[in-house]
Amino acid sequence: MAVLLSTRLEAMEAWREALLASDPTLAIRMFPDAGDPAAIEAAVVWTAHDMAELRRYPNLRLIVSMGAGVDHLLRPPGPPPGIPVARLVDRMLTSQMGEWVLLNVLRFHRQDLDYRAQQAAALWHELPAPVTAEAPIGILGMGELGTHAAGLLRGLGFPVLGWSRRPKQVPGVAMFHGAEGLSGMVGQARMLVCLLPLTPQTRGIVDARLLAQLPRGAFLINGARGAHVVDADLLAALADGQVAGAALDVFAPEPLPAAHPFWSHPRVVMTPHAASITIPSSAAPQVVENIHRARAGQPLLNLVDFAAGY
Ligand code: NDP
Ligand code: OXD
């Protein structure tokens, strides 16, 4: 039996080596060279892979996302019926995202956009001192990434508010949940960090209505998926000062077209979906463990809940 790998060409070899380091007996096929379709037992894939293509493999018993998100696997036509999908929950993915969130929270908290603009104008001017304990950070999505980022922010002394789908307790974090909990949380957030999965319920969640509920002059930090944000609504909120700045790692579509206004916006800081990048050597052991479990008919790790959409 063999494992099908499908990702960007430049990442393929690192994945192959990492999987073989965990289990040298694995037979690896690099898409599109799948070989005998009947030999494929698991597919380890990233965003560009066509889910319809996976219907060619009659003995497939596991699909693994090469990232934490799975929206690319669940969009129509979705995975072949009856085949489980696992995602990555990985220490290095989590810590990178924590760093990216901290970078941007501190950038906005310490008025870095303003100081950079002053530097460009050779202007020596001290702004009011920011008070950390008076700058609540709201986190949409309190899963693996959100909970870790919350801990880092708490460690720096920021009050942290969190929003999840189901009721949940996170030490030191004021938690809100469900549609009814959203405005209570957003209304207090000096910065809003989005770390939600993209599902039918969360698509377009950061729209004019939600942005209007933020305290005036708040900041948005989106490390989740571009489609969480309605771009035109964010641009309008930036234009009238309701939102004072945004840090965006993810876009719809990616790459973001060169003509998009975000590229040159003075209050938008962009990274090219690089907040947290999967490191195959870190992620491979759990993938191999899942392949072994699938063979043995044992419960799988980090399974996607199709009904919840993440
Ligand atoms: P998790 O599944 O661990 O956490 C998701 C969180 O979102 C949970 O707290 C969940 O609530 C909450 N949630 C889901 N749906 C809703 C809803 N309708 N209303 C309120 N809360 C909701 O995911 P991760 O933390 O591992 O990853 C989050 C996302 O980050 C990924 O899906 C991916 O899109 C993105 N990502 C981006 C990267 C980048 O480089 N930019 C890298 C890695 C991930 P509950 O706790 O109740 O389940
Ligand atoms: C992920 C991502 O989901 O990189 O892991 O976006």
Side-chain angles (χ1 to χ4, degrees), residues 46-47 65-72 87-88 93 97 145 223-225 249-250 254 273-278:
W46 192 224
T47 49
S65 169
M66 285 177 176
V70 290
D71 45 291
H72 56 288
R87 70 186 194 101
L88 296 184
L93 263 184
M97 183 58 83
L145 304 182
R225 288 290 180 262
D249 183 60
V250 282
E254 292 180 359
H273 200 143
S276 180
I277 299 170
T278 301

Side-chain angles (χ1 to χ4, degrees), residues 46 67-71 87-89 93-94 97 100 140-147 163-168 175-179 182 194-199 201-202 205 222-225 228 249-250 254 273-278 308 310:
W46 192 224
V70 290
D71 45 291
R87 70 186 194 101
L88 296 184
V89 174
L93 263 184
T94 304
M97 183 58 83
W100 184 84
L140 301 174
M142 285 294 289
E144 296 295 330
L145 304 182
T147 303
W163 187 62
S164 55
R165 185 170 61 92
R166 298 161 291 189
K168 182 170 191 170
M175 285 297 299
F176 298 77
H177 70 272
L182 183 58
C194 181
L195 291 175
L196 286 165
L198 184 64
T199 68
Q201 290 71 40
T202 65
I205 190 166
N222 185 18
R225 288 290 180 262
H228 285 124
D249 183 60
V250 282
E254 292 180 359
H273 200 143
S276 180
I277 299 170
T278 301
Y310 64 100

Side-chain angles (χ1 to χ4, degrees), residues 114-133:
D114 300 316
Y115 280 124
R116 296 287 70 79
Q118 289 186 190
Q119 183 178 352
L123 178 63
W124 184 275
H125 171 65
E126 185 184 283
L127 297 168
V131 181
T132 306

